[in-house]
Amino acid sequence: MQLLEFEKPIAELERELDKLRSKAASQNIDMSDEIARMEEKLAETRMSIYENLTPWQRVQIARHTQRPFMLDYLAHAFTDFCELHGDRRIGDDHAMPGGFATIGGKRVVVIGHQKGRDTKENLKRNFGSAHPEGYRKALRLMKLAEKFGLPVITLIDTPGAYPGIGAEERNIAEAIAYNLREMMLLKVPVIAIVLGEGGSGGALGIGVADRVLMMENAYYSVISPEGCAAILWKHRKHAPEAAEAMKLAAPDLQKLGLIDGFIPEPTGGAHHDHAATAKALRDTILSNLEELSKLSTTELLDARYAKFRAFGEWEGK
């Protein structure tokens, strides 16, 4: 498994613990006291590191290659997924899969970003950066959900929308802007969850929702820490300071009122236990759907409008 820089002290203690256990087994020596002390030290080190993560460390966890992606959550938390393809204008975007699914016995429409774990899959999924046709496909599926009275679940995990020439030619800005307006008017419950990276308009293009949630170690920001550092500090090496200043981690965003909550992850991050993380996501979606189902269409739309209208409000001293 990919080892992050700040996890090296944990890995070193784990190696030492393995050596002690191996020595005790191979030489038939009672080393239970030494092993117990090492296990205690390892547990303390884990707690010290993972309970005091900096925003930049959370960004690193959010980008971990073994972290569960959208299709992993579909496999663990949903059933009966039926993928639908194409935007009916240009083509199909593999970076933005979506379709019908079932969760807790409820039929929903699920849409999200999908990254790849190897070069071949990343090329197919365009590293999770969707083209204009991806956002237009997403909106087509949302309108389909509205037609059949089904809730919409969006799973966000992108460094940003694709910034290439082709995307500009096919009007990526218009596609995202149109989604923002139309999502605000959808007459069915919408839940958006940031799984890992929530980058800029690429994330917001499927992020207008009645409940905006994040995984504990995800980040949600108008720009990447490296991009911010390059602009303000003139060098990407200042990304840790940028991440701290931008308040892009889930706990900070919840305090600011920009998200409605975050979903706890296993110690060390979601990549350590896909099944447990998917269960937490499933339970959270179901509880929020239960709350939203009690609202009338008018109440749903009014609350959604008020929620986003309140962003940016402040009181001077």
PDB file of all heavy atoms in Angstrom, residues 158-183:
ATOM      1  N   THR A 158     -12.948  14.823  -7.883  1.00  0.00           N
ATOM      2  CA  THR A 158     -12.247  15.344  -9.061  1.00  0.00           C
ATOM      3  C   THR A 158     -11.296  16.471  -8.692  1.00  0.00           C
ATOM      4  O   THR A 158     -11.634  17.304  -7.842  1.00  0.00           O
ATOM      5  CB  THR A 158     -13.261  15.850 -10.110  1.00  0.00           C
ATOM      6  OG1 THR A 158     -12.554  16.354 -11.257  1.00  0.00           O
ATOM      7  CG2 THR A 158     -14.138  16.965  -9.539  1.00  0.00           C
ATOM      8  N   PRO A 159     -10.133  16.531  -9.321  1.00  0.00           N
ATOM      9  CA  PRO A 159      -9.261  17.693  -9.116  1.00  0.00           C
ATOM     10  C   PRO A 159      -9.804  18.935  -9.808  1.00  0.00           C
ATOM     11  O   PRO A 159      -9.358  20.048  -9.550  1.00  0.00           O
ATOM     12  CB  PRO A 159      -7.933  17.246  -9.740  1.00  0.00           C
ATOM     13  CG  PRO A 159      -8.317  16.213 -10.745  1.00  0.00           C
ATOM     14  CD  PRO A 159      -9.513  15.500 -10.169  1.00  0.00           C
ATOM     15  N   GLY A 160     -10.767  18.731 -10.715  1.00  0.00           N
ATOM     16  CA  GLY A 160     -11.370  19.841 -11.448  1.00  0.00           C
ATOM     17  C   GLY A 160     -11.858  19.365 -12.801  1.00  0.00           C
ATOM     18  O   GLY A 160     -11.479  18.288 -13.271  1.00  0.00           O
ATOM     19  N   ALA A 161     -12.704  20.132 -13.429  1.00  0.00           N
ATOM     20  CA  ALA A 161     -13.161  19.790 -14.777  1.00  0.00           C
ATOM     21  C   ALA A 161     -11.982  19.849 -15.750  1.00  0.00           C
ATOM     22  O   ALA A 161     -11.000  20.567 -15.522  1.00  0.00           O
ATOM     23  CB  ALA A 161     -14.258  20.749 -15.217  1.00  0.00           C
ATOM     24  N   TYR A 162     -12.068  19.100 -16.825  1.00  0.00           N
ATOM     25  CA  TYR A 162     -10.962  19.042 -17.785  1.00  0.00           C
ATOM     26  C   TYR A 162     -10.750  20.408 -18.442  1.00  0.00           C
ATOM     27  O   TYR A 162     -11.692  20.988 -19.007  1.00  0.00           O
ATOM     28  CB  TYR A 162     -11.253  17.987 -18.853  1.00  0.00           C
ATOM     29  CG  TYR A 162     -10.109  17.798 -19.808  1.00  0.00           C
ATOM     30  CD1 TYR A 162      -8.843  17.437 -19.354  1.00  0.00           C
ATOM     31  CD2 TYR A 162     -10.282  18.005 -21.170  1.00  0.00           C
ATOM     32  CE1 TYR A 162      -7.783  17.268 -20.233  1.00  0.00           C
ATOM     33  CE2 TYR A 162      -9.229  17.831 -22.065  1.00  0.00           C
ATOM     34  CZ  TYR A 162      -7.985  17.472 -21.583  1.00  0.00           C
ATOM     35  OH  TYR A 162      -6.935  17.313 -22.455  1.00  0.00           O
ATOM     36  N   PRO A 163      -9.510  20.957 -18.395  1.00  0.00           N
ATOM     37  CA  PRO A 163      -9.257  22.301 -18.915  1.00  0.00           C
ATOM     38  C   PRO A 163      -8.688  22.338 -20.329  1.00  0.00           C
ATOM     39  O   PRO A 163      -8.119  23.332 -20.745  1.00  0.00           O
ATOM     40  CB  PRO A 163      -8.218  22.842 -17.910  1.00  0.00           C
ATOM     41  CG  PRO A 163      -7.406  21.623 -17.571  1.00  0.00           C
ATOM     42  CD  PRO A 163      -8.357  20.450 -17.605  1.00  0.00           C
ATOM     43  N   GLY A 164      -8.812  21.245 -21.077  1.00  0.00           N
ATOM     44  CA  GLY A 164      -8.205  21.180 -22.402  1.00  0.00           C
ATOM     45  C   GLY A 164      -8.930  21.992 -23.460  1.00  0.00           C
ATOM     46  O   GLY A 164     -10.034  22.511 -23.242  1.00  0.00           O
ATOM     47  N   ILE A 165      -8.306  22.075 -24.628  1.00  0.00           N
ATOM     48  CA  ILE A 165      -8.861  22.863 -25.732  1.00  0.00           C
ATOM     49  C   ILE A 165     -10.214  22.319 -26.158  1.00  0.00           C
ATOM     50  O   ILE A 165     -11.168  23.071 -26.387  1.00  0.00           O
ATOM     51  CB  ILE A 165      -7.887  22.878 -26.930  1.00  0.00           C
ATOM     52  CG1 ILE A 165      -6.612  23.653 -26.558  1.00  0.00           C
ATOM     53  CG2 ILE A 165      -8.556  23.503 -28.162  1.00  0.00           C
ATOM     54  CD1 ILE A 165      -5.544  23.625 -27.619  1.00  0.00           C
ATOM     55  N   GLY A 166     -10.319  20.985 -26.253  1.00  0.00           N
ATOM     56  CA  GLY A 166     -11.583  20.384 -26.671  1.00  0.00           C
ATOM     57  C   GLY A 166     -12.717  20.726 -25.726  1.00  0.00           C
ATOM     58  O   GLY A 166     -13.850  21.001 -26.157  1.00  0.00           O
ATOM     59  N   ALA A 167     -12.429  20.717 -24.436  1.00  0.00           N
ATOM     60  CA  ALA A 167     -13.451  21.060 -23.443  1.00  0.00           C
ATOM     61  C   ALA A 167     -13.876  22.508 -23.589  1.00  0.00           C
ATOM     62  O   ALA A 167     -15.063  22.846 -23.457  1.00  0.00           O
ATOM     63  CB  ALA A 167     -12.918  20.803 -22.029  1.00  0.00           C
ATOM     64  N   GLU A 168     -12.925  23.374 -23.859  1.00  0.00           N
ATOM     65  CA  GLU A 168     -13.255  24.790 -24.070  1.00  0.00           C
ATOM     66  C   GLU A 168     -14.079  24.967 -25.346  1.00  0.00           C
ATOM     67  O   GLU A 168     -15.033  25.749 -25.385  1.00  0.00           O
ATOM     68  CB  GLU A 168     -11.975  25.626 -24.146  1.00  0.00           C
ATOM     69  CG  GLU A 168     -11.182  25.701 -22.854  1.00  0.00           C
ATOM     70  CD  GLU A 168     -11.903  26.454 -21.746  1.00  0.00           C
ATOM     71  OE1 GLU A 168     -12.863  27.190 -22.054  1.00  0.00           O
ATOM     72  OE2 GLU A 168     -11.519  26.290 -20.575  1.00  0.00           O
ATOM     73  N   GLU A 169     -13.726  24.230 -26.391  1.00  0.00           N
ATOM     74  CA  GLU A 169     -14.468  24.326 -27.646  1.00  0.00           C
ATOM     75  C   GLU A 169     -15.918  23.874 -27.467  1.00  0.00           C
ATOM     76  O   GLU A 169     -16.826  24.413 -28.107  1.00  0.00           O
ATOM     77  CB  GLU A 169     -13.786  23.470 -28.713  1.00  0.00           C
ATOM     78  CG  GLU A 169     -12.463  24.045 -29.207  1.00  0.00           C
ATOM     79  CD  GLU A 169     -11.743  23.103 -30.163  1.00  0.00           C
ATOM     80  OE1 GLU A 169     -12.057  21.897 -30.165  1.00  0.00           O
ATOM     81  OE2 GLU A 169     -10.850  23.583 -30.891  1.00  0.00           O
ATOM     82  N   ARG A 170     -16.114  22.883 -26.597  1.00  0.00           N
ATOM     83  CA  ARG A 170     -17.474  22.376 -26.370  1.00  0.00           C
ATOM     84  C   ARG A 170     -18.136  23.070 -25.172  1.00  0.00           C
ATOM     85  O   ARG A 170     -19.168  22.625 -24.697  1.00  0.00           O
ATOM     86  CB  ARG A 170     -17.444  20.859 -26.181  1.00  0.00           C
ATOM     87  CG  ARG A 170     -16.928  20.124 -27.425  1.00  0.00           C
ATOM     88  CD  ARG A 170     -17.135  18.625 -27.358  1.00  0.00           C
ATOM     89  NE  ARG A 170     -16.456  17.987 -26.247  1.00  0.00           N
ATOM     90  CZ  ARG A 170     -15.170  17.669 -26.213  1.00  0.00           C
ATOM     91  NH1 ARG A 170     -14.388  17.977 -27.250  1.00  0.00           N
ATOM     92  NH2 ARG A 170     -14.642  17.070 -25.169  1.00  0.00           N
ATOM     93  N   ASN A 171     -17.513  24.151 -24.712  1.00  0.00           N
ATOM     94  CA  ASN A 171     -18.108  25.069 -23.724  1.00  0.00           C
ATOM     95  C   ASN A 171     -18.299  24.447 -22.345  1.00  0.00           C
ATOM     96  O   ASN A 171     -19.417  24.316 -21.857  1.00  0.00           O
ATOM     97  CB  ASN A 171     -19.426  25.632 -24.256  1.00  0.00           C
ATOM     98  CG  ASN A 171     -19.693  27.027 -23.716  1.00  0.00           C
ATOM     99  OD1 ASN A 171     -19.101  27.436 -22.716  1.00  0.00           O
ATOM    100  ND2 ASN A 171     -20.573  27.756 -24.382  1.00  0.00           N
ATOM    101  N   ILE A 172     -17.189  24.098 -21.696  1.00  0.00           N
ATOM    102  CA  ILE A 172     -17.228  23.517 -20.358  1.00  0.00           C
ATOM    103  C   ILE A 172     -17.826  24.487 -19.340  1.00  0.00           C
ATOM    104  O   ILE A 172     -18.579  24.078 -18.444  1.00  0.00           O
ATOM    105  CB  ILE A 172     -15.806  23.068 -19.918  1.00  0.00           C
ATOM    106  CG1 ILE A 172     -15.841  22.351 -18.567  1.00  0.00           C
ATOM    107  CG2 ILE A 172     -14.833  24.229 -19.869  1.00  0.00           C
ATOM    108  CD1 ILE A 172     -16.482  21.015 -18.581  1.00  0.00           C
ATOM    109  N   ALA A 173     -17.529  25.777 -19.468  1.00  0.00           N
ATOM    110  CA  ALA A 173     -18.049  26.771 -18.518  1.00  0.00           C
ATOM    111  C   ALA A 173     -19.570  26.831 -18.583  1.00  0.00           C
ATOM    112  O   ALA A 173     -20.248  26.887 -17.548  1.00  0.00           O
ATOM    113  CB  ALA A 173     -17.447  28.145 -18.802  1.00  0.00           C
ATOM    114  N   GLU A 174     -20.118  26.817 -19.798  1.00  0.00           N
ATOM    115  CA  GLU A 174     -21.578  26.853 -19.952  1.00  0.00           C
ATOM    116  C   GLU A 174     -22.224  25.593 -19.392  1.00  0.00           C
ATOM    117  O   GLU A 174     -23.280  25.653 -18.740  1.00  0.00           O
ATOM    118  CB  GLU A 174     -21.934  27.011 -21.432  1.00  0.00           C
ATOM    119  CG  GLU A 174     -23.425  27.171 -21.715  1.00  0.00           C
ATOM    120  CD  GLU A 174     -24.147  25.847 -21.903  1.00  0.00           C
ATOM    121  OE1 GLU A 174     -23.473  24.802 -22.108  1.00  0.00           O
ATOM    122  OE2 GLU A 174     -25.398  25.842 -21.842  1.00  0.00           O
ATOM    123  N   ALA A 175     -21.590  24.447 -19.596  1.00  0.00           N
ATOM    124  CA  ALA A 175     -22.151  23.185 -19.123  1.00  0.00           C
ATOM    125  C   ALA A 175     -22.252  23.175 -17.601  1.00  0.00           C
ATOM    126  O   ALA A 175     -23.270  22.765 -17.030  1.00  0.00           O
ATOM    127  CB  ALA A 175     -21.296  22.014 -19.602  1.00  0.00           C
ATOM    128  N   ILE A 176     -21.205  23.645 -16.929  1.00  0.00           N
ATOM    129  CA  ILE A 176     -21.206  23.685 -15.469  1.00  0.00           C
ATOM    130  C   ILE A 176     -22.193  24.729 -14.962  1.00  0.00           C
ATOM    131  O   ILE A 176     -22.985  24.480 -14.048  1.00  0.00           O
ATOM    132  CB  ILE A 176     -19.789  23.965 -14.933  1.00  0.00           C
ATOM    133  CG1 ILE A 176     -18.884  22.759 -15.205  1.00  0.00           C
ATOM    134  CG2 ILE A 176     -19.818  24.292 -13.440  1.00  0.00           C
ATOM    135  CD1 ILE A 176     -17.414  22.985 -14.856  1.00  0.00           C
ATOM    136  N   ALA A 177     -22.172  25.921 -15.564  1.00  0.00           N
ATOM    137  CA  ALA A 177     -23.079  26.993 -15.137  1.00  0.00           C
ATOM    138  C   ALA A 177     -24.544  26.579 -15.304  1.00  0.00           C
ATOM    139  O   ALA A 177     -25.382  26.853 -14.438  1.00  0.00           O
ATOM    140  CB  ALA A 177     -22.790  28.266 -15.936  1.00  0.00           C
ATOM    141  N   TYR A 178     -24.840  25.906 -16.394  1.00  0.00           N
ATOM    142  CA  TYR A 178     -26.210  25.450 -16.637  1.00  0.00           C
ATOM    143  C   TYR A 178     -26.633  24.439 -15.572  1.00  0.00           C
ATOM    144  O   TYR A 178     -27.765  24.467 -15.081  1.00  0.00           O
ATOM    145  CB  TYR A 178     -26.303  24.841 -18.036  1.00  0.00           C
ATOM    146  CG  TYR A 178     -27.717  24.605 -18.513  1.00  0.00           C
ATOM    147  CD1 TYR A 178     -28.570  25.666 -18.791  1.00  0.00           C
ATOM    148  CD2 TYR A 178     -28.205  23.310 -18.689  1.00  0.00           C
ATOM    149  CE1 TYR A 178     -29.866  25.458 -19.224  1.00  0.00           C
ATOM    150  CE2 TYR A 178     -29.501  23.082 -19.117  1.00  0.00           C
ATOM    151  CZ  TYR A 178     -30.328  24.160 -19.383  1.00  0.00           C
ATOM    152  OH  TYR A 178     -31.619  23.949 -19.807  1.00  0.00           O
ATOM    153  N   ASN A 179     -25.700  23.539 -15.198  1.00  0.00           N
ATOM    154  CA  ASN A 179     -25.992  22.569 -14.141  1.00  0.00           C
ATOM    155  C   ASN A 179     -26.308  23.257 -12.823  1.00  0.00           C
ATOM    156  O   ASN A 179     -27.202  22.837 -12.090  1.00  0.00           O
ATOM    157  CB  ASN A 179     -24.817  21.616 -13.958  1.00  0.00           C
ATOM    158  CG  ASN A 179     -24.827  20.476 -14.959  1.00  0.00           C
ATOM    159  OD1 ASN A 179     -25.417  20.583 -16.025  1.00  0.00           O
ATOM    160  ND2 ASN A 179     -24.172  19.381 -14.618  1.00  0.00           N
ATOM    161  N   LEU A 180     -25.563  24.320 -12.500  1.00  0.00           N
ATOM    162  CA  LEU A 180     -25.792  25.025 -11.242  1.00  0.00           C
ATOM    163  C   LEU A 180     -27.221  25.547 -11.174  1.00  0.00           C
ATOM    164  O   LEU A 180     -27.903  25.421 -10.147  1.00  0.00           O
ATOM    165  CB  LEU A 180     -24.817  26.198 -11.095  1.00  0.00           C
ATOM    166  CG  LEU A 180     -23.321  25.895 -11.097  1.00  0.00           C
ATOM    167  CD1 LEU A 180     -22.536  27.164 -10.815  1.00  0.00           C
ATOM    168  CD2 LEU A 180     -22.961  24.826 -10.086  1.00  0.00           C
ATOM    169  N   ARG A 181     -27.673  26.135 -12.262  1.00  0.00           N
ATOM    170  CA  ARG A 181     -29.029  26.684 -12.286  1.00  0.00           C
ATOM    171  C   ARG A 181     -30.082  25.585 -12.218  1.00  0.00           C
ATOM    172  O   ARG A 181     -31.025  25.651 -11.434  1.00  0.00           O
ATOM    173  CB  ARG A 181     -29.243  27.514 -13.554  1.00  0.00           C
ATOM    174  CG  ARG A 181     -30.573  28.261 -13.553  1.00  0.00           C
ATOM    175  CD  ARG A 181     -30.843  28.935 -14.884  1.00  0.00           C
ATOM    176  NE  ARG A 181     -31.243  27.970 -15.909  1.00  0.00           N
ATOM    177  CZ  ARG A 181     -31.539  28.322 -17.162  1.00  0.00           C
ATOM    178  NH1 ARG A 181     -31.437  29.589 -17.543  1.00  0.00           N
ATOM    179  NH2 ARG A 181     -31.896  27.407 -18.049  1.00  0.00           N
ATOM    180  N   GLU A 182     -29.902  24.566 -13.030  1.00  0.00           N
ATOM    181  CA  GLU A 182     -30.917  23.515 -13.112  1.00  0.00           C
ATOM    182  C   GLU A 182     -30.978  22.655 -11.856  1.00  0.00           C
ATOM    183  O   GLU A 182     -32.055  22.202 -11.459  1.00  0.00           O
ATOM    184  CB  GLU A 182     -30.659  22.644 -14.353  1.00  0.00           C
ATOM    185  CG  GLU A 182     -30.836  23.377 -15.669  1.00  0.00           C
ATOM    186  CD  GLU A 182     -32.234  23.957 -15.819  1.00  0.00           C
ATOM    187  OE1 GLU A 182     -33.205  23.184 -15.721  1.00  0.00           O
ATOM    188  OE2 GLU A 182     -32.354  25.184 -16.018  1.00  0.00           O
ATOM    189  N   MET A 183     -29.840  22.428 -11.214  1.00  0.00           N
ATOM    190  CA  MET A 183     -29.843  21.652  -9.974  1.00  0.00           C
ATOM    191  C   MET A 183     -30.571  22.397  -8.862  1.00  0.00           C
ATOM    192  O   MET A 183     -31.180  21.786  -7.981  1.00  0.00           O
ATOM    193  CB  MET A 183     -28.421  21.306  -9.541  1.00  0.00           C
ATOM    194  CG  MET A 183     -27.737  20.257 -10.401  1.00  0.00           C
ATOM    195  SD  MET A 183     -26.137  19.731  -9.727  1.00  0.00           S
ATOM    196  CE  MET A 183     -26.676  18.664  -8.379  1.00  0.00           C
TER     197      MET A 183
END
